[in-house]
Amino acid sequence: MLHSNQYNYLQGLNKQQRIAVETLDGPVLVLSGAGTGKTRVLTTRIAHLLVTGKSKPWNIMAVTFTNKAAREMKDRVGRIIGPSSEQVLMGTFHSLGARMLRQHCELIGLKSNFTIIDVEDQVKLLKQIISAKDVDDKRWPAKYFLNIISSWKDKGLTPSKITDNHIFEHSNGLIKDIYIEYQQRLLKSNCVDFGDLLLHPLELLQMNSDVLLKWQSKITHILIDEYQDTNTAQYLWIRLLCSKHNNICCVGDDDQSIYGWRGAEVKNILNFSNDFENSKVIRLEQNYRSTNKILDVANCLIKNNTNRLGKDLWTENNIDQDVEIFNSYDSSDEARKIGEIIEDKIRDKVHLTEIAVLVRTFSLLRAIEERFISIGLPYRVIGTKFYDRQEIRDAIAYVRVLCNPLDDLAFERIINTPRRGIGPTTIKKLSEHGRQNDMQLFHSAENIVNSEIFNNRTVEKIIQFINQIKKWKLLKNEKKPMDILDQVLEESSYYEMWKNEKSEEAETRISNLKELLEVISEFDTLEGFLQHVSLMTDNDVGNELGEVTLMTLHAAKGSEYQVVFLPGWEDGLFPSFRSLEQGGEDGLEEERRLAYVGITRAKKELFFSYASNRRINGIWMSSLPSRFLKELPKDITNKIDADDYSAYSLYDENVSYDYTQKFKNQGYGPGWKRMSELQINNVIDKNLPQLQKNSENDFQINKFVKGERVFHVKFGMGNVININDDKLDIKFDNAGHKKIQSNFVKKQ
Ligand code: ATP
Ligand code: MG
């Protein structure tokens, strides 16, 4: 047998990392901060399991945060052990769940060609259900039900596990029936939603001891990255899977738990030692990613969280490179500055793939994209939903119907797109006919010839369409997926529909469809392509073209870049009011963890930026620098403008939107004072109809009158009830009475 120091891949690991890699039996938790090599430990561990012969590739299951991470891991393991790495079960929880489900779907009542639907279709289905049940959708909209159902699925609760306690407080108890019906309709359509990809596999193992035994015997070693963000359903599934061999290795960082709002339970990582007997906990503290300055910033910020295990990172990387904060007048100014710095970096030979701009919300990217376009800087936005575009959804709906004719949502989408004279009334009748005969739409349509519900012309149109679909389905045995889709879009006149529109937008749509054909050309089957599309995660796109990466902080988890920009560090944007309002102190701590994730993506250079004015939902707002900036080391924050800094005294301990009312500086943010007259005129002319300039070159708030209709970004429409100087008493249509400073509302 080889001595362990003969394994090359172990060289270069530090002592703790090596222990984590070599402890192959029993439960191991690697709990440590960002950039300490957790993911590297996992990868090396898989190689070690295989090289030592401890495990066969098909006996290992590794869970990653994105499919891209799984691919990278496979590549890295492949370099160490060769092509057998391909056989390791690697992927996200959802893709692994889908895999298990396809094998045993009949036990759940599904066929193996089931479709995975996304949020838009989930909402559509729920809308159909609540309208059939005559639910007041103003009071309880589809999204309300969707949130509750998703949170139950995250907890592993099937409809039969919902108790009175669960439905208490929810929509007078309607929710349970809706959940039951929703699940039934999904099954009938041979569809699952994202939550089902975990819920069904969990149920499979819980209800079928033979299936459980099979999987427990098969999987001898389980490895999980980013364990801090697992939800209860995932945890329960993993527990069941590993309870025979008990060889589980989880790595994670409690400080990077950022998916609480999506059901992640940080307690899974905190309770690991209690949950898994005889476990070993390993801490890594040396960071290999970032400079000491960047780590100082990260440590300094995150120690303000009370709810954490506590750990400090250190590094031997003492490059003397400052972390910088810059202030901008507004978002275009901020975008211009980012562009300039990047141009400098290009001159310094930094590769564009090594640069990232990370934001709290997508809306911040608009100005940045505009700037990058105007200076010709190549960039890619991660998470923009190519697959959400109308034409792409339409094309995919055709593919869905060819793969799964029971998929009513897809069938409904294409039956009259492009127009075939099969209108809503016909579809409604088809659907009723289907319900009476316990058939899905496609079969109902197929069956319609024998019924007398429609006149001959309508029947003819329907039959013609059904025959077309049947013909296209036959192509699956003859042609490549790309050629099938091309033919379908041609023969269905879908291309023609857009061509006839003769607009620039329609041309873009056609070129998007061509791009879709390119994607599909990489797959052997239409089913394989569908599975790929539905399991794509935000961060799955490669960067072959060498572009700057723009994405949200949430999507950035696990990644690293030489140069990182963090724009939009303003209170209200980051931390976001929404999280504070909904989550209180816990919400603030989750936002701080998100900030920590952002900071620790940077290897060498880090730039924070805040603007003094920001246009949010069409209204200009003065903004204060983020309270998180105040928590950074003093040698960095002393560069924040003194005026801005003094604004911190205005924060109230109670985190609330009301801080705007305490802001006494005439209602203007600090940035206003620094504006030149030219800038002022520009702003007034273009953007601030409610502000007027008076003779002293100062601002005066436009007068409002009682009873006037106004609009507020957050509270919506309302009427002015009372006026006290610049404070307005407003009765909002949906948010009740509020006292608001007049420059935060817009006349309507
Ligand atoms: P995160 O918490 O952000 O997911 P992580 O703990 O998973 O980070 P890795 O991504 O595995 O950290 O490693 C961070 C960087 O440090 C990578 O570039 C990795 O190659 C490098 N690294 C890890 N361990 C070592 C080591 N022992 N020697 C040199 N470089 C290392
Ligand atoms: Mg990692």
Side-chain angles (χ1 to χ4, degrees):
M1 181 164 169
L2 293 166
H3 189 261
S4 64
N5 63 13
Q6 289 176 262
Y7 303 135
N8 283 340
Y9 54 89
L10 293 177
Q11 279 159 22
L13 295 182
N14 67 34
K15 193 169 154 223
Q16 291 307 102
Q17 288 178 329
R18 193 154 171 164
I19 295 173
V21 168
E22 291 183 314
T23 312
L24 297 178
D25 297 318
V28 175
L29 173 68
V30 178
L31 180 63
S32 65
T36 50
K38 296 183 294 298
T39 304
R40 181 163 169 163
V41 160
L42 270 198
T43 313
T44 319
R45 208 179 139 91
I46 298 172
H48 200 56
L49 278 168
L50 297 172
V51 173
T52 53
K54 190 96 190 162
S55 189
K56 295 279 178 250
W58 50 88
N59 297 132
I60 299 175
M61 184 166 109
V63 187
T64 52
F65 173 58
T66 60
N67 297 306
K68 179 168 153 250
R71 253 192 330 270
E72 281 169 8
M73 209 175 253
K74 237 173 217 178
D75 286 349
R76 274 199 257 169
V77 177
R79 262 175 259 138
I80 302 171
I81 62 137
S84 67
S85 67
E86 280 302 315
Q87 289 165 290
V88 177
L89 282 172
M90 262 188 225
T92 60
F93 271 109
H94 289 105
S95 62
L96 291 166
R99 214 160 152 159
M100 182 185 273
L101 193 54
R102 292 232 190 253
Q103 278 189 37
H104 307 283
C105 48
E106 75 290 350
L107 294 172
I108 295 288
L110 288 163
K111 299 183 178 52
S112 66
N113 57 343
F114 64 78
T115 315
I116 303 165
I117 64 164
D118 65 5
V119 176
E120 195 178 310
D121 278 345
Q122 284 182 283
V123 172
K124 221 187 251 172
L125 183 56
L126 277 165
K127 275 191 179 150
Q128 289 175 1
I129 295 170
I130 59 181
S131 114
K133 286 190 184 298
D134 269 340
V135 175
D136 177 0
D137 64 351
K138 295 239 161 25
R139 189 157 171 213
W140 296 303
K143 283 212 169 134
Y144 164 87
F145 291 111
L146 179 60
N147 283 341
I148 302 171
I149 292 173
S150 305
S151 74
W152 283 344
K153 291 190 173 181
D154 287 343
K155 293 192 175 76
L157 298 168
T158 51
S160 62
K161 292 189 183 127
I162 301 298
T163 63
D164 286 349
N165 279 347
H166 291 116
I167 53 177
F168 181 67
E169 282 184 20
H170 292 313
S171 59
N172 297 346
L174 283 171
I175 176 77
K176 185 165 180 178
D177 271 356
I178 289 176
Y179 186 20
I180 293 172
E181 170 99 22
Y182 174 77
Q183 287 305 86
Q184 278 171 354
R185 289 235 200 162
L186 281 176
L187 282 184
K188 278 194 169 160
S189 311
N190 197 25
C191 288
V192 299
D193 67 16
F194 240 54
D196 288 339
L197 291 177
L198 300 165
L199 192 71
H200 288 328
L202 174 63
E203 206 188 0
L204 268 176
L205 300 186
Q206 285 171 337
M207 309 296 282
N208 301 284
S209 49
D210 50 333
V211 178
L212 177 64
L213 199 66
K214 179 184 160 198
W215 279 90
Q216 281 179 336
S217 312
K218 176 178 162 68
I219 306 296
T220 60
H221 288 84
I222 294 178
L223 302 95
I224 306 177
D225 201 358
E226 309 279 2
Y227 188 60
Q228 75 280 357
D229 276 327
T230 44
N231 65 29
T232 306
Q234 293 162 343
Y235 163 79
L236 293 171
W237 188 60
I238 286 297
R239 277 226 61 148
L240 279 173
L241 275 177
C242 84
S243 56
K244 180 161 189 261
H245 294 284
N246 216 22
N247 295 322
I248 179 164
C249 175
C250 297
V251 308
D253 177 6
D254 58 313
D255 287 333
Q256 292 186 69
S257 161
I258 53 175
Y259 281 99
W261 54 282
R262 236 166 50 178
E265 296 279 359
V266 71
K267 70 173 193 289
N268 291 345
I269 199 167
L270 303 180
N271 291 344
F272 187 89
S273 315
N274 299 333
D275 282 345
F276 297 94
E277 252 177 61
N278 302 323
S279 60
K280 188 166 194 162
V281 178
I282 297 166
R283 303 284 203 123
L284 312 172
E285 291 203 327
Q286 179 169 3
N287 172 295
Y288 290 91
R289 179 180 294 147
S290 313
T291 65
N292 58 338
K293 278 265 168 60
I294 293 169
L295 284 190
D296 262 4
V297 171
N299 285 334
C300 203
L301 175 95
I302 199 65
K303 71 169 186 266
N304 291 284
N305 269 7
T306 49
N307 219 343
R308 66 187 287 254
L309 294 170
K311 48 191 164 335
D312 259 353
L313 301 178
W314 61 274
T315 177
E316 286 172 350
N317 182 351
N318 290 327
I319 295 179
D320 193 22
Q321 177 81 46
D322 278 340
V323 170
E324 288 188 32
I325 300 183
F326 60 86
N327 171 228
S328 306
Y329 163 69
D330 63 8
S331 41
S332 351
D333 187 26
E334 181 178 60
R336 187 180 51 76
K337 285 179 178 149
I338 294 176
E340 269 170 19
I341 300 174
I342 295 180
E343 284 174 332
D344 273 354
K345 298 296 148 206
I346 295 173
R347 279 189 282 276
D348 293 345
K349 306 263 180 301
V350 178
H351 205 264
L352 292 184
T353 52
E354 278 297 333
I355 301 176
V357 182
L358 311 179
V359 291
R360 177 66 183 86
T361 56
F362 271 118
S363 58
L364 280 170
L365 290 182
R366 201 186 50 85
I368 295 171
E369 281 190 73
E370 260 172 31
R371 184 69 197 164
F372 286 7
I373 290 169
S374 76
I375 59 175
L377 191 64
Y379 70 90
R380 61 179 189 148
V381 181
I382 286 179
T384 40
K385 304 272 189 268
F386 175 72
Y387 292 96
D388 279 353
R389 293 172 201 188
Q390 187 190 340
E391 65 280 13
I392 302 297
R393 293 187 78 95
D394 288 344
I396 289 177
Y398 274 95
V399 179
R400 274 166 63 174
V401 171
L402 297 191
C403 294
N404 172 20
L406 300 178
D407 185 345
D408 275 4
L409 289 160
F411 187 74
E412 234 186 290
R413 190 176 178 105
I414 58 165
I415 187 168
N416 203 30
T417 309
R419 287 189 198 286
R420 305 187 170 86
I422 308 176
T425 327
T426 310
I427 298 172
K428 203 163 168 216
K429 279 192 196 163
L430 273 180
S431 154
E432 268 161 25
H433 177 74
R435 242 195 317 276
Q436 280 158 13
N437 297 288
D438 198 20
M439 285 174 195
Q440 294 299 101
L441 274 177
F442 180 86
H443 293 122
S444 168
E446 207 179 10
N447 182 267
I448 215 79
V449 216
N450 310 325
S451 78
E452 286 165 8
I453 319 171
F454 299 113
N455 61 35
N456 284 349
R457 267 194 56 159
T458 313
V459 169
E460 210 172 283
K461 285 179 208 156
I462 295 174
I463 294 298
Q464 198 183 352
F465 181 52
I466 293 291
N467 286 342
Q468 256 187 325
I469 293 179
K470 286 183 179 164
K471 183 186 125 195
W472 294 329
K473 273 180 77 166
L474 292 178
L475 297 177
K476 282 167 64 182
N477 305 324
E478 299 166 15
K479 292 192 165 183
K480 288 195 192 122
M482 178 178 149
D483 299 329
I484 301 173
L485 182 61
D486 197 28
Q487 186 170 338
V488 168
L489 296 178
E490 188 63 53
E491 291 180 0
S492 62
S493 308
Y494 189 77
Y495 285 141
E496 199 183 320
M497 174 181 97
W498 291 120
K499 278 181 195 149
N500 289 342
E501 217 187 86
K502 293 197 173 68
S503 67
E504 206 174 299
E505 197 189 340
E507 269 175 38
T508 314
R509 290 185 196 277
I510 291 170
S511 71
N512 286 339
L513 290 167
K514 299 283 174 211
E515 202 176 323
L516 183 71
L517 291 178
E518 288 292 311
V519 179
I520 226 175
S521 70
E522 287 166 28
F523 293 85
D524 297 332
T525 61
L526 288 176
E527 284 80 5
F529 160 74
L530 269 190
Q531 161 111 347
H532 165 82
V533 170
S534 42
L535 290 175
M536 286 250 307
T537 48
D538 279 352
N539 201 349
D540 275 342
V541 191
N543 192 0
E544 288 83 22
L545 300 173
E547 298 158 324
V548 175
T549 303
L550 314 185
M551 66 177 145
T552 62
L553 290 156
H554 279 104
K557 212 169 64 156
S559 60
E560 55 187 27
Y561 297 89
Q562 288 286 343
V563 184
V564 169
F565 292 88
L566 300 173
W569 278 50
E570 293 134 42
D571 243 53
L573 274 179
F574 195 34
S576 88
F577 279 126
R578 219 180 131 84
S579 321
L580 302 184
E581 272 192 352
Q582 290 175 359
E585 194 56 32
D586 287 346
L588 178 64
E589 296 214 345
E590 181 149 323
E591 292 282 292
R592 197 178 276 113
R593 292 194 290 271
L594 195 52
Y596 174 82
V597 168
I599 294 167
T600 53
R601 298 310 97 202
K603 292 190 197 168
K604 199 165 158 226
E605 291 184 69
L606 178 61
F607 297 88
F608 295 93
S609 127
Y610 65 98
S612 303
N613 307 285
R614 187 95 49 196
R615 196 168 161 172
I616 296 169
N617 293 350
I619 296 188
W620 278 97
M621 302 269 235
S622 307
S623 36
L624 299 177
S626 165
R627 66 192 73 189
F628 293 152
L629 287 175
K630 190 189 171 198
E631 296 171 358
L632 307 185
K634 288 278 164 298
D635 61 322
I636 302 172
T637 51
N638 62 17
K639 288 172 207 147
I640 299 182
D641 188 285
D643 279 348
D644 289 350
Y645 210 57
S646 66
Y648 284 128
S649 60
L650 297 166
Y651 293 133
D652 195 57
E653 278 157 21
N654 294 324
V655 178
S656 100
Y657 194 73
D658 275 3
Y659 92 93
T660 50
Q661 292 166 33
K662 298 196 178 78
F663 197 54
K664 296 286 187 320
N665 190 14
Q666 306 281 307
Y668 316 126
W672 292 100
K673 286 190 257 162
R674 290 197 300 277
M675 277 196 278
S676 69
E677 193 174 346
L678 183 72
Q679 285 173 318
I680 289 169
N681 282 329
N682 269 340
V683 172
I684 291 176
D685 289 349
K686 283 193 201 140
N687 303 308
L688 274 178
Q690 81 270 35
L691 291 181
Q692 283 178 342
K693 213 175 75 158
N694 71 13
S695 53
E696 280 104 43
N697 227 359
D698 203 341
F699 293 115
Q700 191 188 328
I701 313 288
N702 226 5
K703 292 278 175 269
F704 288 86
V705 290
K706 276 192 196 176
E708 192 166 6
R709 288 291 278 170
V710 290
F711 173 76
H712 183 274
V713 179
K714 186 154 178 290
F715 305 125
M717 295 297 298
N719 292 328
V720 178
I721 305 292
N722 231 327
I723 302 167
N724 188 357
D725 289 341
D726 59 350
K727 289 200 186 59
L728 307 177
D729 224 341
I730 301 173
K731 184 171 180 300
F732 288 99
D733 301 354
N734 295 317
H737 275 100
K738 307 259 177 229
K739 277 195 169 40
I740 302 281
Q741 247 184 254
S742 53
N743 63 327
F744 285 99
V745 295
K746 205 169 150 183
K747 281 170 179 268
Q748 280 302 301

